[in-house]
Amino acid sequence: MTRILARVRPDPYVVALLLVAAAAALAPVRGEPAHVLDQAVKAAIGFLFFLYGARLSTTAAWDGLRKWKLHGTALATTFVLFPLLGLACSVLVPAVLPQSLYAGVLFLCLLPSTVQSAITFTSLAGGNVPAAICGSSFSNLLGVLVTPLLVGLLMTGGNGGFSGQGARDIVLLLLVPFCVGQVLRPVVGECIRRHAKVLGLLDRGVILAVVYVAFSGGTVSGVWQQLSPAGIGVLVVVDGALLAAALIGTALLARWCGFSRADRVVLVFCGSNKSLASGLPMASVLFGGAEAGLVVLPLMIYHQMQLIGCAWLARRFARQAAEPVGVA
């Protein structure tokens, strides 16, 4: 029983996100303080993407080009297969899934892969860790540009289509800081590595602030009245189905492509994981006010599911790798 509970134990950071969301529901920020906090959070998001750019090793990514088939397949899974799955979920609207929550499901499907989680799960499963580093780096490098473009292309009709203000924010708050971080990486990289723990706390603090602002907007405007326990239950089922489809699809695709076992592990985890660290700040920039709160809800649920599901799967892969040849 203890082992079962350990497997389903929620990630402490996800618990913190949920507590902040609850705090925003009970004590939202309003009026002028809300405007000031929103501007402060946007400035912090710019700094956050500067750090993302300074951390990602472009050299390591280019060194991994020899695995072009694996990386290309992973990117196609992230930015082609997942968006198609998201569009397929539109058949659930409005009978099963409200339009407001469907926007969040589609946004989830347009995000890049995680970096840390994909690498950690690959290592635990005995996969090709250097390839996982390269693949997740490629995904995040492209995601800063590709995700906003996909949002502008696919999320129209009031569900995230581009405006002049939105395009300007994307450039100033996401692309420019990220590119500056990449350029200055040789200068600031060592300092960032030395202070990785403090900066990691800053990362998480900014994302918690993003959640508080987004959920406060939802509370003030009354959008949470649109949700019901049944609606949340449906969202959990939809997210679970997406994760299952991604895990099964990447496993089958890896075998069809003839990848080695170590590379199959990379495709499964890089192809199925979605980045909470990139997704929440992006949502704050791409979506306005109350809408952002509903949009990030499917991502928060999916993130917890992928941690539980992929941790179990990584342990399973590790046990299989440890079995002697010929053992059933």
Side-chain angles (χ1 to χ4, degrees), residues 241-277:
L242 282 174
L243 179 60
L247 290 171
I248 294 171
T250 50
L252 293 176
L253 185 60
R255 288 185 178 277
W256 182 75
C257 290
F259 294 141
S260 65
R261 179 199 171 277
D263 286 351
R264 290 201 302 269
V265 170
V266 174
L267 182 59
V268 167
F269 292 126
C270 288
S272 65
N273 280 215
K274 290 294 183 177
S275 176
L276 185 76

Side-chain angles (χ1 to χ4, degrees), residues 23-97:
L26 296 173
V29 62
R30 304 170 183 266
E32 184 61 26
H35 175 72
V36 172
L37 182 58
D38 181 62
Q39 295 303 309
V41 166
K42 285 185 176 181
I45 287 172
F47 182 64
L48 198 63
F49 272 78
F50 167 79
L51 291 178
Y52 290 163
R55 284 172 180 160
L56 284 177
S57 174
T58 312
T59 301
W62 286 115
D63 286 345
L65 277 177
R66 65 182 182 276
K67 289 281 186 180
W68 63 268
K69 184 178 179 181
L70 172 62
H71 300 320
T73 305
L75 291 174
T77 301
T78 299
F79 296 118
V80 179
L81 175 60
F82 251 110
L84 290 176
L85 289 174
L87 291 173
C89 290
S90 64
V91 301
L92 303 175
V93 181
V96 177
L97 199 64

Side-chain angles (χ1 to χ4, degrees), residues 267-323:
L267 182 59
V268 167
F269 292 126
C270 288
S272 65
N273 280 215
K274 290 294 183 177
S275 176
L276 185 76
S278 296
L280 290 178
M282 282 186 181
S284 180
V285 173
L286 293 169
F287 304 95
E291 187 182 7
L294 285 174
V295 166
V296 302
L297 188 59
L299 173 60
M300 291 171 64
I301 294 174
Y302 187 90
H303 180 76
Q304 180 61 37
M305 286 184 167
Q306 79 182 13
L307 288 177
I308 295 172
C310 291
W312 173 84
L313 192 60
R315 286 192 290 264
R316 180 178 175 85
F317 282 153
R319 287 196 300 270
Q320 291 174 346
E323 290 177 351

